[in-house]
Amino acid sequence: MLDSIQSLLDSFPESVVQVRGGTVLASNEKARQYLPQLTPGAPLPACIALPEQGESGTGSFVVDDTVYSYSCKSGPEGCVLSFRPSPREAALKEWQLDGALQQLRALLGDILAEAGGDAFPGQGAPAGFNKTFHRLFRLISNLEFMQQAAGEEGVPFHPVTMDLAGLCRDTIRSAGDLLRESGIQLEYRSRESGLLIPGDPELLRRLLLGLISNAARAVGEGRVGVALRRGGGWAILVVSNLGAPPSRRQLAALLQEDQGGGLPLPGQGAGLGLPIARHIAALHRGKLLVQGGDRPPSVLVSLPTGPLNGRSSVRAPAVQRDGGLDPVLMELSDVLPASLFGLEGLD
């Protein structure tokens, strides 16, 4: 039986591993070329997160400064995953650029229609105009992030010893108050009063808000769950859509499956949120798994809790402002009602 499984894996052109109970059952030669530790009988590296039994998922992990992307399917006989190195994980794909440009053209048209030639974003401007400006600023910010990620210098990364639990509480409190106006209940569960990790607070807030925004867009009106726990040497953050399971098309979009060159539909966004979250997780040497199946999907992000730098300050930073815009309003601008933007403007 094992010989037939090994022969099957060897026939695949990509790197393939079969795992059961956290132990490698079989792997093909290409998988072992990338990761020699994937030998039969060896434990699966802790950097790889697997979906629950019967569910599928895609994700990313980091080994020796190399980012790998993978997909997997779990069943009664274990989990089969295929992976490949993706050193340019956040590089902008053609379909993403097309979607971004499509959104930019539409948003610029909205700005002209809202402004009427006289308004400027800020106090006194129409609420619809302010909302459109926030959405446009967010899209441009995401494009700049992708450009930096693909460049030689990379995304600015400034880790400190920080309190992830405090950052989550502050962010959930601000985002939850706003999302209630859209009929969305944001639920936070954690037993951690404090959870220290080495991390960049602004990037991790961006990751959390981006995942919440994606879940809120999918749920429409309903519940979005955020949970934080400690597991071994990892801080585990889970963002879940607590509504009805998505359609096959929605799940394919969430898992970033091949879109066949088609443009994102209106309301789907430009497809940049999940690649940005994956890149931020990779910068922190973490792992990200998008898990889907018969249940509503969830995104699991695991971040290492050490080593900590004793010379760095411990903090759960206050919400920063970028370009005069509240980052919570900006990241949630696609799902919040325009009325909320009548009270917020540029400084």
Side-chain angles (χ1 to χ4, degrees):
M1 179 66 177
L2 291 178
D3 289 341
S4 62
I5 293 176
Q6 185 63 61
S7 299
L8 177 62
L9 297 187
D10 287 339
S11 67
F12 284 93
E14 66 270 20
S15 308
V16 183
V17 184
Q18 184 187 28
V19 181
R20 184 167 61 202
T23 300
V24 176
L25 294 183
S27 60
N28 62 6
E29 182 178 357
K30 191 166 185 180
R32 295 190 297 273
Q33 287 177 350
Y34 287 131
L35 301 179
Q37 60 268 49
L38 294 177
T39 55
L44 184 72
C47 60
I48 304 176
L50 297 179
E52 297 182 10
Q53 182 172 320
E55 298 193 346
S56 60
T58 64
S60 60
F61 61 91
V62 182
V63 176
D64 295 332
D65 296 325
T66 298
V67 181
Y68 296 86
S69 58
Y70 70 103
S71 60
C72 48
K73 175 65 177 179
S74 178
E77 299 302 318
C79 183
V80 176
L81 65 92
S82 61
F83 68 92
R84 64 185 184 278
S86 52
R88 295 170 65 88
E89 170 66 24
L92 194 62
K93 297 180 177 62
E94 184 176 354
W95 67 267
Q96 291 169 330
L97 179 58
D98 288 342
L101 291 175
Q102 181 189 61
Q103 278 203 329
L104 278 172
R105 295 188 187 101
L107 288 172
L108 286 173
D110 290 344
I111 285 178
L112 292 175
E114 293 285 353
D118 298 323
F120 183 79
Q123 300 292 349
F129 177 78
N130 278 340
K131 173 181 168 73
T132 300
F133 187 84
H134 279 72
R135 293 178 63 207
L136 179 59
F137 194 95
R138 176 175 182 262
L139 181 57
I140 293 173
S141 176
N142 285 346
L143 287 171
E144 289 176 344
F145 184 101
M146 301 293 279
Q147 185 180 44
Q148 289 175 332
E152 293 184 1
E153 296 184 2
V155 174
F157 179 51
H158 306 293
V160 298
T161 298
M162 55 166 286
D163 179 9
L164 181 60
L167 182 143
C168 287
R169 285 193 299 269
D170 291 345
T171 304
I172 297 298
R173 186 182 303 113
S174 300
D177 291 342
L178 295 171
L179 287 171
R180 273 194 294 272
E181 300 296 325
S182 298
I184 298 171
Q185 182 179 352
L186 184 58
E187 302 177 2
Y188 177 59
R189 303 189 313 276
S190 180
R191 296 181 179 179
E192 307 292 338
S193 58
L195 206 170
L196 300 183
I197 68 166
D200 185 314
E202 292 189 15
L203 287 180
L204 290 178
R205 180 183 291 107
R206 183 171 188 167
L207 177 150
L208 177 57
L209 286 171
L211 295 180
I212 291 173
S213 179
N214 283 351
R217 185 185 296 109
V219 78
E221 290 188 0
R223 297 183 299 144
V224 172
V226 178
L228 176 67
R229 68 179 187 272
R230 190 191 308 265
W234 301 88
I236 303 171
L237 180 67
V238 181
V239 180
S240 306
N241 171 358
L242 302 179
S247 66
R248 184 181 299 274
R249 182 171 186 176
Q250 289 172 325
L251 183 60
L254 179 63
L255 297 181
Q256 300 290 294
E257 294 178 357
D258 184 14
Q259 301 202 7
L263 294 177
L265 296 176
Q268 285 187 334
L272 304 180
L274 196 56
I276 287 175
R278 282 176 170 152
H279 192 73
I280 292 174
L283 285 174
H284 289 79
R285 302 187 65 80
K287 50 188 176 180
L288 184 148
L289 171 68
V290 181
Q291 183 170 270
D294 295 333
R295 303 183 309 176
S298 60
V299 179
L300 182 150
V301 179
S302 299
L303 304 169
T305 56
L308 300 176
N309 185 346
R311 295 176 297 176
S312 300
S313 60
V314 176
R315 58 194 179 104
V319 173
Q320 303 292 316
R321 304 183 69 85
D322 185 2
L325 302 182
D326 184 333
V328 178
L329 270 179
M330 185 178 73
E331 290 294 337
L332 300 180
S333 57
D334 281 346
V335 296
L336 295 177
S339 59
L340 293 178
F341 295 83
L343 303 176
E344 175 68 24
L346 295 175
D347 286 341

